[in-house]
Amino acid sequence: MGGLRAVTPAWVRAAPWLWLAATLALLAPLALGLGSAEALPDSSSASTLPRLAHLAWNSLRMSTGAAVFALLLAVPVALAAARLLPRRAGVLLLAIACVPLFLPPTVLAVAAVRLSGPAGLLTEWLTGSQAVFPVTEQIRGPAPLIPGAPIYTLWGGAGVLAWGLAPLAILALAAVLERTDSGAEQEALLHTGPARVLLRVTLPMAAGGLLAGGGLVFLFGIIELGVPEALRSLPVLVSEVYVQFGVYFDTRSALLASLGLGALTALVAGGAGWLALRAGATEEAGAEGDARPLPPSAGTRCLTVLGVVLGAGPGVLALGVLFWTATGPEGPGAVWRVVWGTAADEFGLTLLLGAVLALAAGVLGTLAGWGLASTRRPWPGRVALLLALVTPAPLLAVGTQVLLRLPPGSLPLGLDDALAALGQTHAPLLFVWLLRFGPIVALLVERSLRLLPEDAASAAALEGAGPVAFWRGIAWPQCRPAIAAGMLAAFALSLGEVGAAVLLLPPGTTTLGVRLLTLMHYAPTGQVSALCLLLLAPGVAAYAATAGLVAVHRLSRPAPCASSAASR
């Protein structure tokens, strides 16, 4: 990428590292503030090392369960999309299967409770009435008076996380399968059935995709706050950070839990990064293969049907359950009038913050992606951006709050007063969101710029074109779909984000996601479901636009391995 590097300013090439520096700047107060922070004298919930170890073990259990459940769902869906269906149908199936990824995790938790909670649709259908289950995961104080259910356990949380994060495993596995030679599978099908071919040929060849997909689900399951908090505050590390800082106001215990969560996340992120490198090596090794669809048979037809059902089912099920329960004794119209009358301001603020974030992510993410694409060795910069993407939002929020609450006179030139005033606005929340969701735009732009012909950038550099002329004439037409898709993705993901919002929103304001988290166990069922649908509407619209852009771009390119197959 010598030509691209020649038209890239030096400060743009440093943008990925500036992103990482900003992330570390918010994490530094976690360690620095531990020595000065003191626990409340009467705090009965202070975090001790044995308790933190127990919470870390619970986090590992829940995330492992989520990864296993997600892979069980991903295998048939990825096979159907990459091996069994025609290319256009496969792209459509992937687009539908990715719907839960853009649904707020809190909304998925509400749908799961409405489906399999004590008064859930599935529970009443199986038992004929409401059921009372023992509560097995409650460790904060006495057992609640409200009835429990398996959904309120760590394994219930693992199921909800798999519901929302399975698209990560599906995309990772499908990407590897699309670039892996199917000749060995086609030959094996002549001698044995599809089940044995799947177990003995397909899955071993796609091991890199399985490991990378499972690692991503595991990682994002550890840092997700919305699901464990929505399921009555499951005892995991990420919930402990929020409870100690946002409920008990115990800064020292929150910092201890934050450091434990940060160490666990760093360990898992390192493993996931290594698995991603292995998946990338597998993809490059199979780039010369022929990924033609497998020949039809009774077994492959069954796998196709299973993949289509499992791909389309989760998103349709979530929306269907919420639509079915969004009613009340006075009818659905009365419920919607009450919800809109009480949540209109929060809805407007949520949309406004999401729009500001999308614009900021589009500009700064594009600069970071441009700088990353101009480097000869992109992996260090990619790792820097991915570290910002996978940093738990509560850790960034707690670090931000420690900075905003510095004692008077601790910084020169009155900077502490300026930070305190800044804490009364939405700027800290937007900054944390930008650090977490901006890398999506950057990585998409980087991939688009690397698809540019080398001679185009070199010709622009030889003609003396500056950075502005290069972007206006060459880079902008190439990167426009990627920038739009990244901005829409950042907007959709911010709508239901609660990990940072619940700690950084200024007093007197709230977003629709935080309001849903606080009302889901106390408000009437119909109102909560209607609130979920109101929160889903802009996110689903943004995802539809994103999926359309990605599908058009994907179908406009030649099929993977098509050129190599034609040459043979």
Side-chain angles (χ1 to χ4, degrees), residues 90-107:
V91 171
L92 178 61
L93 177 60
L94 289 178
I96 297 175
C98 288
V99 169
L101 188 62
F102 282 77
L103 301 183
T106 311
V107 171

Side-chain angles (χ1 to χ4, degrees), residues 30 38 55 89 101 106 112 118 131 151 166 199 232 269 292 294 315 351 394 400 429 433 435 460 469 476 492 512:
L30 299 179
E38 296 182 358
L55 295 174
L101 188 62
T106 311
I151 191 64
L199 294 176
R232 299 181 185 170
R292 291 175 296 175
L294 298 179
L351 293 182
T400 302
L429 176 60
W433 281 358
L435 290 180
W476 173 247
L512 208 55

Side-chain angles (χ1 to χ4, degrees), residues 3-105:
L4 182 59
R5 185 179 181 87
V7 295
T8 305
W11 64 271
V12 173
R13 292 196 294 271
W17 301 106
L18 294 176
W19 213 289
L20 179 62
T23 304
L24 295 178
L26 294 186
L27 295 179
L30 299 179
L32 298 178
L34 187 60
S36 58
E38 296 182 358
L40 296 179
D42 58 345
S43 177
S44 60
S45 60
S47 297
T48 60
L49 291 181
R51 175 181 174 80
L52 291 178
H54 175 68
L55 295 174
W57 174 242
N58 285 346
S59 298
L60 292 173
R61 288 169 56 199
M62 187 172 70
S63 299
T64 301
V68 172
F69 295 156
L71 288 176
L72 291 175
L73 180 67
V75 169
V77 179
L79 279 173
R83 280 288 194 266
L84 304 175
L85 291 173
R87 190 172 181 227
R88 290 181 180 273
V91 171
L92 178 61
L93 177 60
L94 289 178
I96 297 175
C98 288
V99 169
L101 188 62
F102 282 77
L103 301 183

Side-chain angles (χ1 to χ4, degrees), residues 109-125:
V110 171
V113 171
R114 296 291 177 262
L115 183 65
S116 57
L121 299 175
L122 184 60
T123 302
E124 293 188 351
W125 180 70

Side-chain angles (χ1 to χ4, degrees), residues 174-189:
V176 173
L177 287 174
E178 285 180 349
R179 292 166 173 80
T180 304
D181 192 352
S182 62
E185 297 163 278
Q186 295 176 9
E187 182 178 353
L189 283 174

